[in-house]
Amino acid sequence: MPGITRPAARDELAGMWPVVSTAHLFDDSRDFVSWWEDAPWRVRLTRSGEPVILGRWREHMDLLAVRGIWCPEPRIPILLEDLRDVARENGFLRLLGPLVPEEAARAYLAAGMEVTARVVVYRRRATIPAATALPDGVTMREAGAEDMTAVASVDAECFDDFWRYDPARLAHYAEGERVVVADRAGRPIGYTLSSTRGSEATIGRLAVAGSERGCGIGASLLVEAMRHAARNGAAAVTLCTQEGNEVSRRLYRRAGFRELPGRLVATVSRPV
């Protein structure tokens, strides 16, 4: 059923912001407006005034991601049919649904989408644990823009095509979040990407190059991020990992993180 959504007009953005802001997709309303200015078709409204936020999932993939959708669950399949048309019109082959609790994925499956990722959420109280020792020759420091190509190489070594970041995406995240690298002889060999907003901290990424694993670098990066969050007012730290990544899950459990019930699920359409 085409034509259900349309690009939002500039004078509609202020009215959308109170709803869109609840998903924490944007740093503030100016960031939201900038997103619209770069490509207005990505910020959409239904005829009933329901907002939808779209965006490319990864630069190297043909996925158009539904970053946010605000409508009653029974309407999701109808909107997804329209958004598949939007994806095709803008050169994408597939539509990716947002990460949602597994029980909420039923609406996406009813629209013919298939599960492509299952994610586990971990959480713990923010404290200042004792720092852990790094291997000889390894130091930690905050990353700069000049590090992003090397950091992206570490990322590509640790994550498959669906999850990995390119240097431009990492540089964008680094503008609003905190990137810390483990460094050996001036070369990043691991990193964390984290943020603290009010009393909530999130560790969005933890990666260590394969040749450097097993000697405590990942644990040291994790502890450093936790210490920074606690010192900056966070009461809790949350992170996610793929359900099948048992190595990471063991690391987080050893660090005192508690696995939350359920799973988050991402779904993807067949080629449009």
Side-chain angles (χ1 to χ4, degrees):
M1 188 180 300
I4 292 176
T5 71
R6 60 168 176 80
R10 179 182 288 273
D11 61 6
E12 294 174 312
L13 300 180
M16 296 172 66
W17 176 243
V19 174
V20 171
S21 65
T22 61
H24 305 292
L25 298 173
F26 305 98
D27 292 336
D28 51 36
S29 60
R30 289 174 297 180
D31 189 29
F32 175 46
V33 171
S34 177
W35 182 263
W36 175 88
E37 290 174 337
D38 286 345
W41 67 269
R42 299 181 303 186
V43 179
R44 307 184 72 82
L45 282 171
T46 68
R47 287 172 291 196
S48 302
E50 299 152 323
V52 178
I53 307 297
L54 304 174
R56 180 183 287 275
W57 172 244
R58 296 288 190 270
E59 293 302 318
H60 56 276
M61 300 191 74
D62 61 4
L63 291 174
L64 178 63
V66 181
R67 301 184 73 205
I69 185 169
W70 292 266
C71 70
E73 184 174 315
R75 282 181 51 78
I76 288 177
I78 300 171
L79 268 64
L80 291 176
E81 184 176 347
D82 176 79
L83 297 176
R84 281 194 288 265
D85 291 337
V86 174
R88 182 175 58 249
E89 291 164 3
N90 287 277
F92 295 90
L93 293 182
R94 293 175 295 165
L95 187 70
L96 178 69
L99 272 176
V100 296
E102 191 164 21
E103 59 273 17
R106 291 173 299 192
Y108 296 86
L109 299 177
M113 300 180 76
E114 300 173 344
V115 173
T116 190
R118 292 170 58 85
V119 170
V120 185
V121 182
Y122 286 89
R123 186 174 174 85
R124 65 155 289 169
R125 184 170 58 88
T127 60
I128 304 179
T132 58
L134 285 163
D136 290 344
V138 177
T139 58
M140 282 189 292
R141 60 178 173 83
E142 290 199 31
E146 69 279 3
D147 294 306
M148 290 304 111
T149 298
V151 169
S153 294
V154 173
D155 197 83
E157 189 175 337
C158 298
F159 297 96
D160 62 23
D161 274 354
F162 181 79
W163 291 109
R164 72 176 172 88
Y165 290 145
D166 58 86
R169 180 68 66 95
L170 281 165
H172 172 75
Y173 284 144
E175 291 177 0
E177 301 187 29
R178 182 172 182 263
V179 180
V180 170
V181 296
D183 186 290
R184 186 189 292 279
R187 180 177 65 89
I189 56 173
Y191 84 101
T192 53
L193 174 69
S194 62
S195 62
T196 301
R197 292 182 174 89
S199 62
E200 292 291 323
T202 301
I203 299 175
R205 207 66 149 186
L206 171 60
V208 178
S211 60
E212 300 283 354
R213 295 174 194 163
C215 58
I217 293 173
S220 293
L221 283 165
L222 180 60
V223 166
E224 192 281 335
M226 292 163 55
R227 287 166 63 90
H228 183 270
R231 286 171 173 161
N232 283 270
V237 182
T238 302
L239 54 82
C240 299
T241 192
Q242 301 100 303
E243 184 180 53
N245 190 343
E246 188 54 41
V247 173
S248 291
R249 294 175 67 180
R250 284 198 299 269
L251 171 63
Y252 301 142
R253 289 194 293 265
R254 286 198 302 266
F257 282 84
R258 176 175 58 90
E259 182 179 316
L260 300 188
R263 295 291 185 267
L264 297 179
V265 172
T267 55
V268 67
S269 71
R270 299 181 179 90
V272 297

